[in-house]
């Protein structure tokens, strides 16, 4: 059966032979080409690239765009992901010719604007987080974690201390233990107590082999770790370092700084807190900040401000862990973050965090009678809830899928792992009360359906381009490119 | 500017609903001893002032579009058609999140599935992930994959991109003794220089290598396979419009920098790394992978799959810590490839090749300038300045609006008078003549 045009893949479109790029053929000479390269280096067969007219290509991708939920078009209360509105001005600034077409190997004289932006953003992040220096190299949060853990490793190595253990709470993001393990550490997971770090369990792990304690604060239950100062003290007195996972920094700007809480290292997700778009999974940017005693371990090169406001690359970091990626970081993402910070100013950043906390608490209050909220105190920018056994009796997965029918993206589900059937809700500060109220009424309706028409939830979603997709089948019979054999269902 | 929507009265109402008097009470769970003491009064800028500030900053730069740039070194100035920018900038893609709820993300999932297919076809491989951070980090992850499979030496050329070598060393912090830098013969890797007695885990071959030279992948893969090692190819995707796909030359894994495929230079990022492997590596490779499946009604659809490799499921037992990738840059590459099509992409590749050779021939005719190596190359080559100070030669060219190339002394002490020239389709025949004329003048 022929696939309808609107559902075709690029490779199913008829080849029109309308390749778009006409070379200056006067320059080309096929015989000469072959004489310059031994023929066994040359491609023998077709690549298999599709040939579409520009018009058909535009239709193809515009149709794909129509099958998307996005922050611009949908409420996206995805916990720990901070899906706030991404200001349009950032897109315009980053497409300035002077930035888009700056080559990373240009002479410093030719890229002073880029270098200045990087330097200023680092300074700004120092103030926001209470740290002494930043690197913009890491490409994402997890890449930042790896950077910081490599710094910790090198630091202990230089001090000739055998410390092999990284401790994480059971509520931590999966990237924390994964980064620690990639970095060669032995990972120990400690339990939580009432949604916060279990101090006794931490105490037990504060041994002479403790390298780093990793924590996000507010934690993934949306709670501010009230014992944060003594947590950091305990780790420090055992000779360990404290790492702050910046995934939840959006709760804290202008309210409290990780550096003041006692953290030695941290990363910031610019694609969360600083409102740069997520791009369907990336690009992100995960700058790492450190306290003074760790500055010399940061990646190289870094931007130095010289006299007369001239910016230069510097490699003067004797303990450096090296380079984390080619070139200098996801510059374009950092640029958007810098624009955001300037647009808001410190006062606006603080207002953003306060409003994020306000919105989350408002939703929690409105939902806590119909759903189960395991930690019944004021939350920060997000909170966790579960279906109520009588008032909203359903599986979290079904509720998440049903939300899609109402044009609302699902919350983060089944995370944190500490709460069964958890839904983690982070509305962010950019959402209006009307949006929040509509979310509440939709959740109430879903709760009602859970009681009276449970089949509606099992079948959801019904209004999306595709109904519920079979993930088990995808993993059992991997079809990972067009043309791979498809098992009959 | 601000992006918080509530009026004062709405805030009052919401605080009341919550049951607190004011913001201070709302954040009372934050202990006073850690509360910010800094002055957070700095107001934000007006939109017009933000634009002005950054326009001025952008003006402090001299982008390659305003001069004639022959800078490459792993990233290249290619023309990006308007249609690519427009489609890849659609906010439905730009402001979406990772596809954990596939029913609401079919557009991006299909786009990435098509990306995986395009990259597999380009590289001649079985499986592609849906992107990595950049070329250097995807190489590092490929090496970790090879080492997990079989411990041993990792062979790489002195002419592997120096940033890739650096990143590899960073990732292998724990034991760099497995890294074995091979001294090239006349610019290329040959098995004669390889260690004879050691266990080999992988041979890395970058082709074209950092100096632009095409390496003999077949003989290297034969050597590697005879010793139970894998061949990891690092390639410039644009070269694959005319050069043989590494999958047909024995590569087990193919990685590289995706920037040349429709992504702007943007001072070093964001770009994306690609990673393609033979089937047997499918469940060991890092990064998100999109797979085809069906919905309840039996219709074709796409989901993230093989997730048991990943950190959000396996935590410390995951094959990698990667979470965010560079999906949007990968989508952009797919749009670019689909736009150029088979013919257009081959033409692009050949045009880069041809123009680079034209320039190399012209420049080689100038006394005082010689190619560093006489080996087959793609669109990039190294030349040596004799008898004159290279710094002053390059700055004279720069004063004539030519960014002539990348000095190699920053990477290699034995290339003090050498620099690397990259040519893409963006240069016209007149540009090439101009470069030649100015160079002749400067070296006269």
């Amino acid at each position: 059966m022929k696939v309808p045009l609107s559902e075709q893949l690029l490779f199913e479109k008829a080849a029109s032979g309308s390749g778009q790029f006409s070379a200056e053929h006067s320059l080309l000479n096929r015989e000469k080409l072959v004489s310059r390269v031994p023929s066994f280096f040359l491609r023998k067969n077709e690549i298999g690239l599709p040939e579409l007219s520009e018009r058909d290509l535009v239709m193809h991708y515009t149709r794909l765009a129509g099958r998307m939920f996005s922050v611009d078009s949908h409420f996206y209360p995805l916990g720990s992901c901070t899906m706030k509105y991404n200001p349009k001005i950032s897109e315009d600034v980053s497409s300035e010719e002077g930035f888009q077409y700056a080559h990373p190997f240009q002479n410093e004289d030719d890229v002073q604007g880029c270098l200045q932006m990087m330097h200023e953003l680092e300074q700004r992040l120092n103030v926001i987080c209470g740290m002494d220096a930043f690197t913009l190299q890491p490409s994402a949060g997890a890449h930042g974690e790896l950077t910081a853990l490599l710094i910790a490793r090198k630091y202990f190595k230089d001090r000739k201390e055998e410390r092999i253990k990284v401790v994480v709470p059971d509520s931590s993001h999966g990237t924390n233990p994964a980064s620690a393990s990639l970095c060669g550490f032995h990972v120990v997971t400690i339990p939580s107590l009432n949604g916060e770090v279990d101090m006794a369990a931490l105490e037990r792990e504060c041994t002479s082999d403790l390298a780093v304690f990793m924590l996000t604060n507010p934690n993934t239950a949306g709670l501010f770790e009230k014992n944060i100062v003594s947590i950091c003290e305990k780790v420090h007195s055992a000779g360990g370092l404290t790492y702050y996972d910046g995934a939840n920094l959006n709760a804290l700007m202008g309210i409290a700084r990780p550096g003041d809480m006692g953290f030695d290292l941290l990363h910031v997700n610019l694609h969360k807190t600083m409102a740069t778009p997520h791009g369907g999974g990336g690009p992100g940017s995960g700058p790492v900040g450190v306290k003074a005693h760790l500055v010399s371990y940061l990646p190289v090169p870094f931007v130095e401000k010289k006299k007369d406001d001239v910016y230069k690359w510097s490699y003067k970091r004797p303990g450096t862990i090296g380079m984390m990626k080619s070139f200098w970081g996801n510059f374009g993402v950092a640029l958007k973050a810098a624009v955001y910070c300037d647009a808001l100013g410190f006062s606006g950043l603080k207002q953003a965090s306060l409003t994020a906390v306000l919105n989350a608490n408002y939703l929690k209050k409105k939902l806590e009678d119909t759903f189960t909220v395991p930690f019944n105190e004021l939350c920060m920018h997000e909170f966790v809830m579960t279906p109520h056994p009588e008032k909203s009796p359903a599986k979290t997965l079904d509720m998440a899928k049903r939300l899609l029918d109402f044009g609302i993206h699902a919350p983060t589900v089944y995370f944190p792992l500490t709460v069964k059937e958890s839904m983690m809700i982070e509305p962010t500060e950019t959402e209006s009360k009307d949006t929040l109220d509509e979310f509440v009424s939709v959740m109430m309706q879903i709760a009602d359906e859970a009681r009276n028409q449970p089949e509606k939830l099992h079948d959801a979603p019904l209004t999306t381009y595709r109904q519920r997709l079979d993930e088990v089948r995808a993993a059992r019979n991997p079809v990972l490119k067009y043309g791979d054999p498809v098992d009959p269902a | 500017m601000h992006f918080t929507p509530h009026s004062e009265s709405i805030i009052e109402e919401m605080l009341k609903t919550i049951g607190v008097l004011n913001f201070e009470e709302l954040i009372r769970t934050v202990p006073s001893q850690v509360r910010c003491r800094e002055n957070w009064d700095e107001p934000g800028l007006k939109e017009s002032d933000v634009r002005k500030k950054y326009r001025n900053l952008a003006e402090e730069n001299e982008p390659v579009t305003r001069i004639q740039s022959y800078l490459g070194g792993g990233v290249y100035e290619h023309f990006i058609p308007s249609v690519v920018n427009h489609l890849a900038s659609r906010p439905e893609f730009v402001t979406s999140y990772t596809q954990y709820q596939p029913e609401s993300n079919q557009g991006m999932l299909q786009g990435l599935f098509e990306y995986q297919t395009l990259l597999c076809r380009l590289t001649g491989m079985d499986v592609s992930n849906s992107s990595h951070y950049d070329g250097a980090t995807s190489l590092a992850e490929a090496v970790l994959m090879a080492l997990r499979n079989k411990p041993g030496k990792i062979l790489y050329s002195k002419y592997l991109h120096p940033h890739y070598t650096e990143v590899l060393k960073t990732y292998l912090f724990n034991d760099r003794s497995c890294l074995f830098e091979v001294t090239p013969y006349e610019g290329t890797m040959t098995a004669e220089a390889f260690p004879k007695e050691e266990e080999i885990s992988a041979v890395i071959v970058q082709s074209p290598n950092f100096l632009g030279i095409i390496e003999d992948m077949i003989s290297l893969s034969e050597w590697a396979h005879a010793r139970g090692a894998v061949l990891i190819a690092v390639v410039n995707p644009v070269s694959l419009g005319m050069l043989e796909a590494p999958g047909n030359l024995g590569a087990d894994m193919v990685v590289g920098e995706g920037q040349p495929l429709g992504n702007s230079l943007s001072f070093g990022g964001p770009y994306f790394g690609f990673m393609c492997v033979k089937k047997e590596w499918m469940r060991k490779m890092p990064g998100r992978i999109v797979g085809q499946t069906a919905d309840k009604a039996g219709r074709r659809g796409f989901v993230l799959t093989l997730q048991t490799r990943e950190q959000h499921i396996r935590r410390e037992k995951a094959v990698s810590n990667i979470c965010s990738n560079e999906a949007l840059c990968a989508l952009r590459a797919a749009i670019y490839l689909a736009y150029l099509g088979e013919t257009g992409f081959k033409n692009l590749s050949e045009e880069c090749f041809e123009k680079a050779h034209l320039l190399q021939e012209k420049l080689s005719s100038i006394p005082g300038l010689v190619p560093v190596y006489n080996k087959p190359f793609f669109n990039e080559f190294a030349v040596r300045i004799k008898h004159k100070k290279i710094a002053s030669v390059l700055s004279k060219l720069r004063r004539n609006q030519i960014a002539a190339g990348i000095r190699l002394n920053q990477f290699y002490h034995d290339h003090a008078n050498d620099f690397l020239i990259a040519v893409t389709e963006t240069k016209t025949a007149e540009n090439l003549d101009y470069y030649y004329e100015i160079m002749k003048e400067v070296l006269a």
Side-chain angles (χ1 to χ4, degrees):
Chain A
M1 197 181 68
K2 195 172 183 311
V3 182
L5 276 181
S6 64
E7 299 192 11
Q8 282 180 347
L9 298 182
L10 284 173
F11 314 99
E12 292 161 335
K13 309 243 172 230
S16 60
S18 56
Q20 302 294 327
F21 209 100
S22 67
E24 291 174 34
H25 283 281
S26 58
L27 287 169
L28 286 179
N29 178 333
R30 190 146 300 254
E31 281 155 37
K32 218 172 169 189
L33 189 150
V34 176
S35 75
R36 285 169 167 157
V37 182
S39 63
F40 62 87
F41 283 153
L42 296 176
R43 187 178 270 282
K44 313 277 175 309
N45 305 309
E46 294 288 290
I47 305 166
L49 300 185
E51 300 262 4
L52 280 76
S53 69
E54 178 167 333
R55 194 273 174 279
D56 283 345
L57 187 82
V58 167
M59 190 145 64
H60 179 77
Y61 282 102
T62 308
R63 279 171 171 161
L64 292 189
R67 295 165 199 163
M68 294 296 292
F69 277 33
S70 69
V71 168
D72 273 14
S73 51
H74 296 77
F75 179 43
Y76 227 116
L78 200 62
S80 266
C81 298
T82 314
M83 295 298 281
K84 60 167 86 174
Y85 169 70
N86 313 127
K88 296 299 168 193
I89 184 178
S90 297
E91 298 297 315
D92 279 352
V93 167
S94 71
S95 46
E96 291 270 0
E97 189 186 14
F99 295 126
Q100 285 255 303
Y101 291 94
H103 190 290
F105 277 134
Q106 279 186 273
N107 292 332
E108 289 153 328
D109 297 348
D110 285 342
V111 291
Q112 284 295 300
C114 292
L115 298 179
Q116 183 180 337
M117 184 288 288
M118 292 173 73
H119 180 77
E120 286 180 0
L121 179 60
E122 286 171 13
Q123 302 309 312
R124 175 82 84 170
L125 292 173
N126 278 333
V127 177
I128 292 169
C129 299
M131 305 306 275
D132 294 312
F134 262 88
T135 173
L136 301 180
Q137 263 189 34
S139 305
H143 204 212
E145 292 173 11
L146 178 62
T147 306
L149 290 167
L150 288 167
I151 289 172
R153 253 197 105 97
K154 188 109 195 290
Y155 170 78
F156 289 123
K157 195 176 169 204
D158 286 358
R159 294 165 63 94
K160 302 193 170 30
E161 293 180 40
E162 277 278 324
R163 290 175 179 271
I164 52 153
K165 184 168 74 182
V166 165
V167 177
V168 299
D170 55 3
S171 61
S172 64
H173 297 114
T175 50
N176 291 180
S179 301
S181 144
L182 185 61
C183 198
F185 285 111
H186 173 58
V187 181
V188 175
T189 303
I190 57 168
S192 304
L193 188 65
N194 301 323
E196 294 185 34
V197 172
D198 179 341
M199 295 302 282
L202 176 65
E203 183 89 60
R204 280 194 293 278
E205 297 301 336
C206 282
T207 46
S208 61
D209 60 347
L210 173 65
V212 182
F213 179 60
M214 303 178 83
L215 185 66
T216 185
N217 189 21
N219 61 33
T220 57
L223 304 176
F224 192 93
E225 295 278 355
K226 285 182 278 302
N227 297 318
I228 189 61
V229 173
S230 57
I231 289 172
C232 290
E233 280 170 3
K234 271 196 192 350
V235 173
H236 287 152
S237 61
L241 293 171
T242 46
Y243 179 76
Y244 178 82
D245 170 349
N248 291 348
L249 184 66
N250 204 45
L252 292 186
M253 290 185 291
I255 296 171
R257 308 193 307 172
D260 298 336
M261 297 171 205
F263 285 99
D264 302 297
L265 312 113
L266 58 78
H267 82 261
V268 179
N269 301 75
L270 299 184
H271 49 290
K272 298 181 181 180
T273 314
M274 300 310 168
T276 75
H278 282 64
S285 176
V288 165
V290 296
K291 289 278 182 61
H293 57 294
L294 299 169
V295 172
S296 89
Y297 294 94
L298 285 171
V300 287
F302 64 102
V303 181
E304 232 180 5
K305 186 176 181 176
K306 302 279 194 187
K307 61 175 193 291
D308 302 328
D309 290 342
V310 172
Y311 296 87
K312 295 266 182 205
W313 288 120
S314 171
Y315 286 81
K316 279 181 289 188
R317 277 176 179 160
T320 183
I321 55 164
M323 290 183 90
M324 287 305 296
K325 74 183 290 292
S326 53
F327 309 109
W328 334 123
N330 278 348
F331 174 85
V333 179
L335 175 60
K336 290 176 187 179
V339 166
Y340 178 76
C341 289
D342 280 341
L344 269 67
F346 286 119
S347 66
L349 293 173
K350 180 174 182 178
Q351 190 58 36
S353 284
L354 287 173
T355 311
V357 176
L358 177 74
N359 282 1
N361 277 290
Y362 179 77
L363 278 187
K364 182 166 86 70
K365 192 76 193 174
K366 289 276 194 173
L367 293 168
E368 69 189 7
D369 288 340
T370 314
F371 295 86
T372 304
V373 175
F375 311 110
N376 204 7
E377 52 185 308
L378 285 171
C379 67
M380 293 302 283
H381 68 306
E382 67 187 0
F383 64 99
V384 172
M385 66 179 203
T386 63
H388 188 280
E390 281 107 44
K391 296 175 186 167
S392 49
K395 283 206 153 306
T396 284
L397 180 70
D398 292 341
M399 291 203 157
K401 297 297 183 194
R402 184 66 181 135
L403 265 172
L404 304 180
D405 276 332
F406 294 91
I408 294 173
H409 196 278
T412 296
V413 292
Y414 299 100
F415 189 85
L417 308 175
T418 44
V419 177
K420 276 201 175 110
E421 294 288 319
S422 55
M423 279 179 261
M424 190 193 207
I425 298 174
E426 179 182 10
T428 83
E429 73 278 11
T430 57
E431 301 312 308
S432 67
K433 180 167 168 294
D434 286 345
T435 299
L436 305 180
D437 285 339
E438 185 173 82
F439 176 66
V440 170
S441 70
V442 167
M443 289 302 287
M444 294 303 169
Q445 185 179 333
I446 294 175
D448 181 72
E449 288 172 359
R451 292 190 302 268
N452 301 313
Q453 301 163 276
E455 70 286 350
K456 268 204 162 161
L457 271 66
H458 299 314
D459 294 341
L462 290 167
T463 59
T464 44
Y465 170 71
R466 287 293 182 259
Q467 293 179 29
R468 204 175 294 195
L469 289 151
D470 188 346
E471 301 196 24
V472 174
R473 171 176 164 165
R476 204 182 48 222
N477 166 217
V479 177
L480 308 180
K481 64 177 187 299
Y482 181 70
D484 281 353
V486 180
D487 271 0
Chain B
M1 298 178 81
H2 70 86
F3 303 98
T4 42
H6 308 319
S7 66
E8 285 297 324
S9 63
I10 296 264
I11 291 173
E12 287 292 313
E13 195 189 326
M14 292 172 75
L15 288 169
K16 211 170 145 194
T17 304
I18 296 164
V20 294
L21 284 172
N22 49 33
F23 277 119
E24 206 38 57
E25 202 185 336
L26 182 68
I27 54 171
R28 67 180 176 218
T29 59
V30 181
S32 60
Q33 62 185 126
V34 298
R35 292 288 300 278
C36 268
R37 277 168 208 89
E38 286 64 29
N39 180 1
W40 284 76
D41 294 341
E42 181 212 17
L45 297 177
K46 281 195 308 193
E47 176 162 3
S48 53
D49 289 342
V50 179
R51 283 309 293 275
K52 204 177 296 167
K53 172 178 172 176
Y54 283 91
R55 192 163 295 143
N56 290 341
L57 266 186
E59 287 302 317
E60 296 283 311
N61 296 333
E62 200 69 73
V64 295
T65 36
R66 287 193 212 146
I67 52 177
Q68 292 171 30
S69 161
Y70 294 84
L71 303 176
V75 291
Y76 303 90
E77 178 198 0
H78 290 289
F79 177 70
I80 301 174
S82 292
V83 62
V84 175
N85 279 332
H86 277 267
L87 293 174
S89 305
R90 287 197 67 105
E92 296 92 332
F93 298 130
V94 173
T95 72
S96 69
Y97 191 72
T98 306
Q99 302 76 28
Y100 293 128
Q101 296 293 338
E103 297 82 6
S104 60
N105 279 287
Q106 282 301 295
M108 195 72 176
L109 284 164
Q110 182 178 328
L112 292 172
F113 183 81
E114 290 170 343
Y115 160 85
Q116 291 171 186
T117 308
L118 289 164
L119 265 287
C120 284
R121 290 182 176 191
L122 209 51
T123 56
M125 303 300 279
D126 300 322
V127 182
S128 165
N129 73 8
S130 68
S131 74
H132 211 85
Y133 304 138
D134 69 352
T137 50
S138 54
L139 173 63
E141 291 265 16
V143 167
L144 293 178
M145 201 176 5
L147 283 170
R148 274 194 296 268
N149 186 57
K150 181 192 175 197
K153 294 281 182 210
I154 302 291
L155 311 187
Y156 64 97
S157 166
K158 171 183 165 190
Y159 295 133
L160 173 64
H161 192 304
H163 286 183
Y164 290 41
T165 310
E166 285 301 312
V167 172
L168 202 49
K169 286 180 180 163
T170 307
Y171 270 66
L172 294 175
F173 59 91
N174 210 13
D175 184 12
R176 288 174 185 155
S177 66
C178 66
L179 290 173
F180 186 99
E181 183 175 295
V182 177
T183 307
Y185 173 73
E186 301 262 303
T188 59
M189 271 180 117
T190 55
E192 282 82 68
F194 290 180
K196 299 287 176 291
E197 308 296 319
E198 311 265 9
E199 274 296 313
I200 310 293
S201 173
V203 177
I204 300 168
V205 53
Q206 184 182 15
S207 179
N209 66 26
F210 190 65
L211 299 196
I213 302 167
I214 303 170
E215 299 269 7
D216 180 4
M217 232 180 258
I218 289 191
S219 64
L220 296 174
S221 69
E222 281 167 1
W223 189 91
H225 292 158
R227 284 154 189 83
V230 295
L231 188 82
I232 304 174
V234 183
V235 293
N236 171 355
V238 168
S239 74
L240 299 181
M242 63 175 282
L243 298 183
E244 184 60 280
N248 297 334
L249 299 170
D252 301 279
M253 306 174 191
V254 183
V255 297
E257 177 53 67
Q259 177 276 332
L261 302 175
N263 282 271
S264 63
L265 293 167
S266 192
F267 201 53
Y271 307 150
F272 72 95
F274 53 88
M275 180 183 281
C276 303
V277 297
K278 292 283 187 205
K279 191 143 198 181
E280 56 267 33
W281 297 91
M282 176 175 76
R283 289 176 195 276
K284 295 173 184 162
M285 88 185 304
R288 294 176 187 141
I289 302 176
V290 178
Q292 181 180 318
T293 186
D295 76 352
K296 273 191 166 179
R299 296 173 300 182
R300 177 169 69 187
F302 303 93
V303 295
L304 294 176
T305 194
L306 306 178
Q307 295 191 58
T308 49
R309 300 165 298 117
E310 294 187 67
Q311 50 78 26
H312 63 282
I313 309 282
R314 292 294 298 281
R315 297 176 71 85
E316 65 266 26
K317 294 188 181 67
V319 298
S320 166
N321 69 335
I322 190 169
C323 182
S324 281
N325 57 14
E326 311 283 312
L328 190 65
C329 303
L331 181 76
R332 185 174 259 278
I335 298 171
Y336 178 80
L337 283 169
Y339 178 76
L340 293 189
E342 182 86 16
T343 322
F345 188 67
K346 285 179 175 166
N347 283 348
L348 165 73
S349 189
E350 288 174 10
E351 190 178 347
C352 294
F353 174 91
E354 193 64 27
K355 285 178 171 172
H357 284 74
L358 276 180
L359 184 63
Q360 197 247 20
E361 280 160 21
K362 278 174 190 287
L363 293 179
S364 306
S365 72
I366 303 173
L369 185 151
V370 292
V372 175
Y373 295 111
N374 276 307
K375 283 289 180 73
F377 63 97
F378 173 58
N379 73 329
E380 202 163 17
F381 55 95
V383 297
R384 179 163 297 160
I385 300 290
K386 296 189 151 183
H387 322 307
K388 295 245 179 188
K389 286 217 168 74
I390 182 170
S392 92
V393 170
L394 294 185
S395 66
K396 279 177 188 158
L397 271 100
R398 181 62 191 83
R399 280 201 288 280
N400 284 286
Q401 299 306 309
I402 299 172
I406 298 167
R407 275 197 73 177
L408 292 172
N409 67 330
Q410 58 189 308
F411 309 113
Y412 308 106
H413 58 80
D414 55 344
H415 285 289
N417 296 313
D418 305 348
F419 68 102
L420 188 61
I421 301 174
V423 188
T424 66
E425 84 288 358
T426 58
K427 299 296 164 290
T428 62
E430 292 74 39
N431 293 153
L432 304 182
D433 282 339
Y434 178 69
Y435 191 134
Y436 164 72
E437 293 298 337
I438 300 289
M439 183 62 93
K440 201 164 73 175
E441 231 175 88
V442 170
L443 291 183

